[in-house]
Amino acid sequence: QSALTQPASVSGSPGQSITISCTGTSSDVGSYNLVSWYQQHPGKAPKLMIYEVSKRPSGVSNRFSGSKSGNTASLTISGLQAEDEADYYCCSYAGSSTPVVFGGGTKLTVL
Amino acid sequence: EVQLVESGGGLIQPGGSLRLSCAASGFTVSSNYMSWVRQAPGKGLEWVSVIYSGGSTYYADSVKGRFTISRDNSKNTLYLQMNSLRAEDTAVYYCARDVVGYSYGLGYWGQGTLVTVSS
């Protein structure tokens, strides 16, 4: 099972919006509405930001939103803040034999 | 409050074995699907294994045949038995639980335990 494809880095200024893409295949992202997104600050455990494509766990800011079109999922962060600077990973269910696949990660820099 | 606490990491020689533990509190391990995810130094997240509430287990190709996930319901603890360890297994290993049943959103994570495979 190949990893999902994410851009290595994205950047934006405070207050702006950015979008991180996550491209999979018809065997994972394209077939299931089970895409999740994680934020990870250096030295910390990952934090779930979005699950089931667009649902936000309790406590996650509504500045974070998720969507999907075909084999590509997206995470949008609006009103960028300094504390949003982190690594972001997408993840998808990929079927019963190898259920989970992660993306390679995207480093978000807030300029 | 849901808590996950991993232990058992350390320095181990190539070819050796190690068992990681993940002690859970605030919920019942056997009622949720539980995963192990690892992160090599400076690298991204890699899914390792999952055990479902019904007991079915699945593994990444990179660890299949060498790692075994299990749980002890009486101790409410998840395990990862790692055999035939290789240098490329060096990573921080996290245990994680779904945020809500079978959403495949890992909403609860432990702090991680570092496994270093080196001679």
Side-chain angles (χ1 to χ4, degrees):
Chain A
Q1 185 68 41
S2 301
L4 308 176
T5 300
Q6 300 179 231
S9 62
V10 299
S11 62
S13 299
Q16 288 185 333
S17 294
I18 64 95
T19 297
I20 300 172
S21 63
C22 170
T23 302
T25 69
S26 58
S27 297
D28 39 62
V29 174
S31 287
Y32 308 98
N33 290 324
L34 294 172
V35 176
S36 52
W37 289 89
Y38 301 86
Q39 176 192 65
Q40 187 180 36
H41 288 108
K44 301 294 188 182
K47 176 185 178 183
L48 179 67
M49 306 305 285
I50 296 288
Y51 68 101
E52 291 181 357
V53 176
S54 60
K55 296 180 180 179
R56 277 189 309 276
S58 174
V60 172
S61 171
N62 59 10
R63 297 186 299 105
F64 292 82
S65 61
S67 62
K68 191 187 86 167
S69 178
N71 296 337
T72 299
S74 298
L75 173 71
T76 297
I77 308 174
S78 59
L80 212 54
Q81 299 178 2
E83 58 262 36
D84 298 332
E85 185 164 292
D87 293 324
Y88 290 84
Y89 296 90
C90 64
C91 180
S92 176
Y93 179 72
S96 59
S97 60
T98 308
V100 180
V101 60
F102 277 95
T106 298
K107 181 175 181 58
L108 169 62
T109 300
V110 180
L111 302 170
Chain B
E1 179 192 5
V2 172
Q3 275 200 314
L4 298 167
V5 179
E6 301 98 336
S7 61
L11 175 63
I12 187 75
Q13 291 189 336
S17 297
L18 211 55
R19 188 179 80 159
L20 305 183
S21 300
C22 172
S25 58
F27 73 101
T28 302
V29 164
S30 60
S31 298
N32 293 268
Y33 85 81
M34 300 292 298
S35 295
W36 287 97
V37 176
R38 69 184 180 183
Q39 187 170 35
K43 303 296 184 182
L45 301 175
E46 180 187 15
W47 175 78
V48 173
S49 182
V50 65
I51 183 167
Y52 292 121
S53 56
S56 299
T57 59
Y58 296 90
Y59 302 90
D61 288 344
S62 57
V63 307
K64 202 171 294 182
R66 301 187 299 122
F67 290 13
T68 302
I69 190 172
S70 64
R71 65 191 181 208
D72 184 329
N73 296 344
S74 66
K75 295 182 178 179
N76 209 33
T77 297
L78 178 73
Y79 299 102
L80 186 68
Q81 177 67 44
M82 305 185 296
N83 299 329
S84 303
L85 283 161
R86 307 166 179 167
E88 54 264 37
D89 296 318
T90 294
V92 173
Y93 285 73
Y94 296 99
C95 66
R97 199 210 91 172
D98 55 310
V99 64
V100 63
Y102 291 93
S103 66
Y104 289 91
L106 298 174
Y108 302 95
W109 295 68
Q111 83 286 354
T113 187
L114 176 62
V115 173
T116 303
V117 184
S118 175
S119 54

